[in-house]
Structure formats: structure tokens, C-alpha cells
Amino acid sequence: MVTTAHPAHTAPPATARRAAAVRHLGPNWYASVMGTAIIANAGAALPYQFTGLRTACTVVWALSLVMLAALLTARAAHWIHHRDQARAHLLDPAMAPFYGCLSMALLAVGGGTLIVGVDWMGAGAAVPLATVLFAAGTAIGLAAAVAIPYLMVVRHRIAADQATPVWLLPVVAPMVSAAVGPLFLPHLPTGQAQQTLLYACFAMFGLSLLATLVMLPVIFARLVTAGPLPLALTPTLFLVLGPLGQSTTAANKFADFAPGVVPAPLDRGFLAFAVLYGVPVIGFALMWLALAVAMVARARRRGMGFAMTWWAFTFPVGTCVTGAEGLGKHTGLVAFDWLATGLYALLLTAWAIALAHTLRGLVSGRLLAAPRPAKA
């Protein structure tokens, strides 16, 4: 009798291997898209322009669009093949807040489409694409701003010393919508349509700002009562800059687009608000930046290695760049132009480091492996 030998182990199909590769791909990965898109968005509005800068910004925006498409595909595979893990992420108080990053990634790329993407795509393609990204990002952001705090209250079991700046992610997403929304005003009919969008953005500004003011005292109280964050989470201290810089950016966008949309003297009121609100908030942001840098330096001396939390060094700093750019425009102070340029240099450095480590971790497979306990 003739027998056929079968190998002891059969290699899994390519589809199964790809599905297994995304099992531990969490929503925190969208932070890499946010951090890349803000390079383009902030660079295009720098007060000091030079030849090739806008082209470089457009290239980086295109990269962020490709990254977004790849991540959306990978995360869809994650939900299809690993629903147990996806549900576990939602029920994990450390991971669930990162669902706000999906909204902000869509919004950051959508805003960049109107700022620099239009140079390559033309308005006929850029406006519809940006509209889809803005609408999806806003809907997801508003849902996350309610759903994630709801889960934190009714499903998560959180101790007082578990509060981290990550909690800000779902509630800051509507602030990104508030800052991006005014870019669409020139593409809407004058009158009710433009006014409705502007006031809707102003409402999202208030929603996000008040929610942030509720959470910030809890986060700071945890720091002063329980001590420094675990090493891997220390970079998340930079996330506090996000609502500060983004709210300043949004206030300046309102001032840019209010004339001709709302009647006088409300249009001038938005300008006064942008300066009276933005200057003290940027001052607090700089104080927090100094504190966060000191804490990160301390963690680095104690062995803090690379983790995806390093992307917190990018988007929040970028929002401070755009906030300072707006204040420089509306106050005429060169000091804000210098501040924006200096922060942009810091942003570029942080982005290059985070991107290099991420690519290295993807090639080695370490970043897609099952998570290990954080070093205390």
C-alpha cells in the first residue's frame, strides 16, 4: 500500500498570518497619523516661509493620507478577525480612551487636505474628500466624547491612582473638529449654512473645553498624590498640551473666518476672544511643556524605552504651533512668530524620532507583539 507523507506542520495561509499580525493593533496607532498630519498643517502656516516648504508639507500630508488608509484597513481586519480583542480594548480603561485618536486622525488629514492637499488634488477633489473625513471624524469624535466617559463610569473599574492624561483623548476630539470646521466656510453658501457651521464649531469648542476642565484637576491630583506616571506612560503628559493648543487654534480660526459670516460686532468679538483667551492659555501650555519635559528627562534617566506613547510628543506640540501662529497673526507680535518656529523645530525632531523607532519596531515585529507589563 502506498502512503503519502504529510508535513508535521502546515504553514498557515497568508490571510491567517496577516490577520494574526493585527491582533494587538490598538486604536493608539492612529496617533502616528495625527502626528504626521500636523507636520504638514502647522508647517504650511509658519510665519517664516522658504522655497520648498509648502511642497515638503504636501508630501508629508500625502504620507499621512497613506498611513490613514493603511491603518483603517488594518483596524477593519482587527475588528473582523479579533472581535474579542477589540471588545477587550473597549473595556480596558487604559486603551479605550485612544478611540478618540481615530476621530482626530480623520480630522487632521481632512484639514490638511484643504490646507495643502488642494495644491495637488485641486478643489474639485480636495473639498469632497475633506468633507467626508471631517464628517466622519466629527461624528466619531462626538460619539467617543460620550461613549468613553460612559464606559469609564459604568463598566471600567478605575482606582484613583490610575488617572492619566490619556483620559483627555476622547473629549479633545470635538475641539479638533472646532478648529478644522471653519476651513469649510468659504465652500458653503453664505447666510444660514455658514453661520450654522461656525456656531456648531463654537459649541464643540465649549463642549471640549469644559470637559477638559473637569478632567485636568483629576489628572493633576493623581500626579501630586500618587507620584510620577509609569515610565512608559510618562510621554502622555504631553497630551495635556493638546486641548490647550487646539483650543487656541480654534479660537483664532473663529476670528479668521467670522468677518462676513456673522454680523458686526460679533465678528470683532471673535477676534477679541481669540487674543484674550489664547494668550493666557498658551502661557499655561508653556509652563506645562516645561514640566512635561522635566518629567520625561527624569523617566529617560530611569530607563524609559520607546513605546507608541512617544507619539504624544508630536500632535499636542503641533497644536501649540498652530495656536502660536494664530496669535502672531492677530497680535502682530514677533515673539509669537519666534515661538511658533521654535516649537515647530521641536515638533519636527520629535516626529523624526518617533517615526524612526516605529518603523524599526514594525520591521522587528516588536510593536505588533502582545503587550508586556509596563516598567514601574
Side-chain angles (χ1 to χ4, degrees):
M1 182 174 62
V2 178
T3 60
T4 302
H6 295 280
H9 301 284
T10 302
T15 302
R17 288 198 300 270
R18 288 194 295 268
V22 300
R23 176 167 178 79
H24 300 288
L25 184 74
N28 56 321
W29 278 76
Y30 286 112
S32 63
V33 178
M34 298 159 52
T36 301
I38 198 67
I39 295 288
N41 299 354
L46 278 176
Y48 303 111
Q49 296 285 314
F50 55 86
T51 303
L53 175 60
R54 189 171 180 87
T55 300
C57 289
T58 309
V59 171
V60 174
W61 164 81
L63 174 62
S64 71
L65 181 61
V66 171
M67 291 170 64
L68 176 63
L71 268 177
L72 288 173
T73 303
R75 286 286 297 162
H78 174 86
W79 272 94
I80 293 170
H81 297 288
H82 305 290
R83 293 182 183 177
D84 60 325
Q85 188 72 7
R87 287 192 292 268
H89 284 164
L90 280 172
L91 297 178
D92 182 357
M95 183 61 73
F98 283 101
Y99 273 90
C101 291
L102 168 57
S103 166
M104 291 185 281
L106 292 168
L107 293 166
V109 176
T113 304
L114 290 181
I115 295 172
V116 293
V118 69
D119 293 350
W120 284 1
M121 302 175 64
V127 174
L129 174 60
T131 301
V132 170
L133 294 174
F134 175 74
T138 299
I140 293 170
L142 291 173
V146 176
I148 301 304
Y150 174 83
L151 289 175
M152 293 171 68
V153 173
V154 303
R155 296 299 298 272
H156 300 164
R157 294 296 174 261
I158 304 172
D161 62 352
Q162 290 179 305
T164 72
V166 172
W167 288 8
L168 295 170
L169 290 173
V171 299
V172 78
M175 187 67 79
V176 183
S177 292
V180 173
L183 299 176
F184 291 88
L185 291 173
H187 305 285
L188 291 177
T190 57
Q192 289 286 318
Q194 289 184 333
Q195 292 177 10
T196 299
L197 178 58
L198 180 62
Y199 284 122
C201 291
F202 200 29
M204 288 187 287
F205 172 95
L207 179 161
S208 181
L209 177 62
L210 294 176
T212 298
L213 293 177
V214 168
M215 290 192 174
L216 270 181
V218 179
I219 294 168
F220 188 72
R222 179 256 176 261
L223 292 175
V224 297
T225 58
L229 295 172
L231 297 183
L233 287 177
T234 301
T236 64
L237 289 170
F238 276 71
L239 294 178
V240 175
L241 299 175
L244 302 175
Q246 197 69 3
S247 62
T248 303
T249 301
N252 280 283
K253 291 299 181 185
F254 300 154
D256 286 338
F257 289 94
V261 174
V262 296
L266 289 177
D267 56 345
R268 303 297 299 174
F270 277 109
L271 175 58
F273 176 76
V275 175
L276 295 178
Y277 172 85
V279 173
V281 169
I282 282 293
F284 178 73
L286 293 177
M287 183 277 289
W288 190 273
L289 175 62
L291 174 64
V293 167
M295 296 298 293
V296 167
R298 174 188 178 278
R300 189 68 173 155
R301 290 194 301 269
R302 284 160 173 76
M304 180 188 76
F306 175 75
M308 288 301 290
T309 52
W310 280 35
W311 282 100
F313 297 142
T314 57
F315 189 80
V317 174
T319 66
C320 293
V321 174
T322 54
E325 288 170 349
L327 288 175
K329 175 182 177 181
H330 291 132
T331 63
L333 292 179
V334 178
F336 283 116
D337 295 340
W338 294 345
L339 176 62
T341 305
L343 289 175
Y344 191 72
L346 175 63
L347 170 63
L348 279 177
T349 303
W351 174 73
I353 293 172
L355 183 63
H357 280 285
T358 301
L359 291 175
R360 188 178 300 121
L362 280 174
V363 171
S364 67
R366 183 180 68 85
L367 290 179
L368 293 177
R372 294 177 296 178
K375 185 186 294 186

